[in-house]
Amino acid sequence: MDADKLAVQVADLTVAYQEKPVLWDVDLDVPQGVLMAIVGPNGAGKTTMLKAILGLLTPAAGHVSIFGKPYQQQRSLVGYVPQRGSVDWDFPTSVLDVVMMGNYGKLGWVRRPGAADRRAAQSALEKVGMADYADRQISQLSGGQQQRTFLARALMQDAQVYFMDEPFQGVDATTERAIVDLLKELRAQGKTVLAVHHDLQTVPEYFDWVMLLNVRRIASGPVNEVFTDENLRAAYGGRVGFLNKRQDHEPA
Amino acid sequence: MVAGSASLTSDKTMSLLDLLNSLLFDHTIRTVALGTATLGIVSGVLGSFAVLRKQSLLGDALSHAALPGVAIAYMLTGSKSPAVLMLGAGAAGVLAILLLINITRQTRLKEDSVLGIVLSVFFGFGLLLLTFLQRNPDARQAGLNTFLFGQAATLLTRDVVTMAIFGGLALLFVAVFWKEFKLLSFDREFGASLGLPMPRIDMLLTTLLVVAVVIGLQAVGVVLMSAMLVAPGAAARQWTNHLGRMTLLSALFGALAGVAGALLSSLGTGLSTGPVIVLCISVIVLFSLVMAPNRGLLWNYLRQWRNRRRLRTEAVLENIYLMSSQHDDPSHPHAITALEAVSGAGNVRRSLEELQRRGLAVPYDGNKWALTAEGVRAAQTRLQPAQKDEK
């Protein structure tokens, strides 16, 4: 594949906490405009991989490029949705305020968000079905609403590539629907999404690409090519009781 | 506090007037009050961030760590000038931060253990230097001891000016880096993903916290300073869900405690200012914890009580309805004793009276009660979803 066309290219990424490697020599090529699920058992290094790609922790080795250039130069093209549980939702601030944080990187020093940022944040909230919650104190949100607030903040970044850490974790049906619609809209706009995902059964329905990870990369590519029983067994070991159920679930 | 005691007797009213009088016209008291107000404002603003970042212990560590800085500054320069001693305190504070960051990064110790270690090592070393210096009569006169518990009465105009300049600078930094500090406090990793230099922003905010500590040392002392950093923010958080308003309120609480403490200790009772200021802010904290709407204990208690009463009343409503539906007439009256047997614990009569006020139930010959037509409808709508579930 031509390197310029790749939205994300990861080479030899290795991360170790103390001596134990949590991510070993991972290579990953993601073309533009795909929705990629990152799946793997607990402790497989999914979150670690996202954080290493985003430079939030220092890898022992490896290189990340976005659209053919080193990540550090392309940061403005990248959006991030952290795990919902990573912040204190009792922080004294409003939904709109959190969404506007998505623009802090582009605002620069000293400047405060203005009326234009406010409007942009409001329209990002509309896209996730949260338009009526702009002034709500964030501690009053349900889990699904918290997740949608984080998604709106990422939309505010107006990025080309989005990294999402378990966007579907513990959300209600409305939110799940809203996220799926949003992912499809992003893909239609030619954006690329990499999302850590836990529910194997919905992978073929929600995503078109998948990466199977367990410290090493087991496989990555289009869902219909690499989301196979063999690869899943390699990633999850023997614990894949869901495989038979998956047959029933697959769209007819 | 002051206003409360003033209304008791005319004697007390006089003393309130005296206090106001001295605040406005007595040079010494005015200076002290201005100084402690400055300290309250600066520590209130920076303490808000410490509270929100769950770094209350950091303020404690930084203030204790300042003590050896004061002693060393005196030993090196022989100067008793507060500006020099404050500079020493500040340098020791910054050194403590650097140690904290590096020990946390290089070892597997958790941050709270490192805070504890830095706090006790620096404070112990500071006490050691102080006892050593006490043997020297010059040093005794320099009043280094006052940095332990503070001595606001020693504040001179030039000290207050120094405090105001440093404090004003610190507040200016907070205003300029407001959105960065907010992002740091709420979601540091997201900030880093935006490419903002979060470690440097953290270092800046922590340095400003050291400035707040240094400003308070002379008046409140290293031991009580941590209260001035944590208490105003903790109290302010109770009243608002808005970061800007919380910070302003925290500054106001800090200033209020500062002025009240300075005035109360000037009454000539021999109370030192630092502890009185800390007591004043503690009263504000206590009041806020109990009385604040939404987050206050009293409010919570009332909400629980109201919910419990509502649930009890609705249970009684459902029970009358269910008992009546065994007859053909849904508004068949029932004796209170029967209802008590079905509803179990709780005051059934009070619940019935509540239902009567809402027009849902009516009493018959004293001890019997029945639902009104309205009450029957209310009970039916309440029970409907439950019956659907059963199907």
Side-chain angles (χ1 to χ4, degrees), chain B residues 249-327:
Chain B
L249 199 60
S250 179
L252 182 75
F253 285 160
L256 205 67
V259 173
L263 290 183
L264 287 175
S265 66
S266 75
L267 289 173
T269 43
L271 296 172
S272 46
T273 316
V276 178
I277 293 175
V278 171
L279 279 180
C280 289
I281 193 67
S282 305
V283 168
I284 295 177
V285 170
L286 200 64
F287 181 78
S288 307
L289 284 180
V290 176
M291 301 302 289
N294 292 317
R295 299 177 78 95
L297 291 173
L298 189 66
W299 188 276
N300 273 340
Y301 177 78
L302 278 177
R303 190 162 40 201
Q304 271 173 20
W305 180 75
R306 228 179 274 140
N307 280 346
R308 219 173 297 149
R309 198 181 62 172
R310 188 172 51 82
L311 287 175
R312 256 204 317 264
T313 308
E314 276 160 12
V316 169
L317 174 75
E318 287 171 17
N319 283 332
I320 311 186
Y321 177 77
L322 290 175
M323 284 165 76
S324 311
S325 53
Q326 289 161 8
H327 303 263

Side-chain angles (χ1 to χ4, degrees), chain A residues 88 90 97 108 112 153, chain B residues 54 175 179 182 187 237 295:
Chain A
D88 174 14
D90 194 36
D97 225 29
R112 297 286 177 87
R153 182 175 71 172
Chain B
K54 306 180 175 67
K179 74 176 193 297
K182 177 159 62 172
D187 195 348
R237 180 68 189 93
R295 299 177 78 95

